[in-house]
Amino acid sequence: MGKYDEDGFDPYAARFTPDENVEEEEFRFIESMEYLIENETDLAGRQMASFNLASYYRNIRKFRLAKKYYEICADLGDNFSKEQLGFIWYYGLCGEQSFEKAFQLFRDVNFERSRYMIADMYHYGQYVEKDIDKCRELLEDLFSKVKKERSDPRFFISTLFPEVALRLVQLHIEEEKENLLDLYCLYDARDILAIRQQRAPFWGNIKTMHRILETTKNLCGTDYRFSDLYDLLILDTETGLAIFDYNDEEYRIEIFPHDGEIIYQFGDKWFHGAEDFLERARIDNQQITAIYDLIFNINFLNMSD
């Protein structure tokens, strides 16, 4: 805990993020949002501009600027921004962590994701007294709502099913009550999260996927089924080669140690491990996670698992 590695899904942030490789577009986006914040007379317009800008800065990990604009939006009465401030305080993204402030913000807005975070706080005893029964009660109540969304594509971007299912399965494992239904929930969580990342890319999705796959492998053991490039997240390796086909062309990912870290070389670009690769790698100017379902004949060579 204490790092923004556990969760991070924001269904709003990705919608407003311009192409990070286009500096002119970035400049114009920031300038236009700041102009609206200062000059827009309509309250909803100022809220939208401040939320868009805060979400943009959070997506590129400039958390102090994100906090500044979420606070502006929250002062204008926006509860979604209050929830985002709760995440900032919970994970200490600006250098200071406060479970008390996070809990108060999550409790005040009372959104589904906030209740999910409160469940975590009861699980770990963060600010509140540790209470596994309360944690389970909150998670099971959320699961009764989100499980209906796992088969409805309209909800794949916004549903909390992957996160809630993962937490419940982890709780079952801790209590030694895991079962086959837990495994099916994790398979569904993986599929939904892959579609979410395809439609609305966000680095927090990759981190959640990592935890889903680790938990799945924990349940499956040697029977774990490797199926796509996301499996790179749990292949324990310092050297290796991944080969796959896309549009009748073969692509290679070379993995090797360099200066104390594991490098993924893809074409002429280097990436700092599997998460960085899945977040930033592109083919034909498309993020690799946006075309994951069009990638075939994946082979992991000389890699331990």
Side-chain angles (χ1 to χ4, degrees), residues 45 48 60 64 69 81 89 102 106-107 109 112 116 118 122 132 136 167 179 192 230 243 251 262 265 288:
M48 180 197 69
I60 61 173
R64 293 186 185 278
Y69 289 104
S81 293
W89 284 113
F106 293 144
R107 180 190 58 193
V109 299
E112 283 188 357
Y116 163 78
I118 288 173
Y122 278 112
I132 298 300
R136 186 189 303 105
R167 279 291 193 258
N179 55 63
I192 291 171
Y230 283 112
I243 302 174
Y251 291 84
I262 304 303
Q265 183 174 358
I288 202 160

Side-chain angles (χ1 to χ4, degrees), residues 7 9 29 49 106 111 113 121 136 139 156 180 225 236 241 255 258-259 270 279:
D7 305 298
F9 170 54
F29 171 79
F106 293 144
F111 294 146
R113 186 165 186 82
M121 299 183 81
R136 186 189 303 105
L139 288 175
F156 282 1
L180 189 59
R225 295 179 297 173
D236 181 19
L241 177 68
I255 305 169
H258 178 77
D259 288 344
W270 285 21
E279 181 188 343

Side-chain angles (χ1 to χ4, degrees), residues 97-157:
Q97 188 176 44
S98 173
F99 292 134
E100 179 179 0
K101 291 180 179 178
F103 183 86
Q104 291 171 347
L105 286 161
F106 293 144
R107 180 190 58 193
D108 288 348
V109 299
N110 198 34
F111 294 146
E112 283 188 357
R113 186 165 186 82
S114 290
R115 293 198 297 276
Y116 163 78
M117 296 300 293
I118 288 173
D120 247 20
M121 299 183 81
Y122 278 112
H123 182 274
Y124 294 106
Q126 297 163 327
Y127 176 63
V128 295
E129 185 176 347
K130 184 173 181 176
D131 189 333
I132 298 300
D133 290 335
K134 183 65 174 178
C135 170
R136 186 189 303 105
E137 177 187 340
L138 287 166
L139 288 175
E140 288 178 348
D141 178 66
L142 282 170
F143 188 73
S144 69
K145 297 178 174 64
V146 301
K147 68 180 180 181
K148 302 172 186 176
E149 300 170 352
R150 62 179 164 179
S151 59
D152 191 335
R154 293 176 300 174
F155 296 103
F156 282 1
I157 292 179

Side-chain angles (χ1 to χ4, degrees), residues 8 11 26 30 35 43 50 64 73 116 135 140 146 165 167 169 188 195 198 204-205 212 240 264 284:
E26 179 187 60
I30 294 171
Y35 177 85
L43 175 63
S50 54
R64 293 186 185 278
C73 196
Y116 163 78
C135 170
E140 288 178 348
V146 301
R167 279 291 193 258
V169 172
D188 287 342
I195 294 171
Q198 182 182 43
N205 294 333
I212 287 172
Y264 279 53
D284 296 334

Side-chain angles (χ1 to χ4, degrees), residues 81-91 98 101-103 105-106:
S81 293
K82 291 180 182 178
E83 184 178 59
Q84 294 300 319
L85 288 170
F87 298 143
I88 288 173
W89 284 113
Y90 182 90
Y91 292 109
S98 173
K101 291 180 179 178
F103 183 86
L105 286 161
F106 293 144

Side-chain angles (χ1 to χ4, degrees), residues 86 127 166 171 201 208 267:
Y127 176 63
L166 171 65
L171 192 60
T208 302

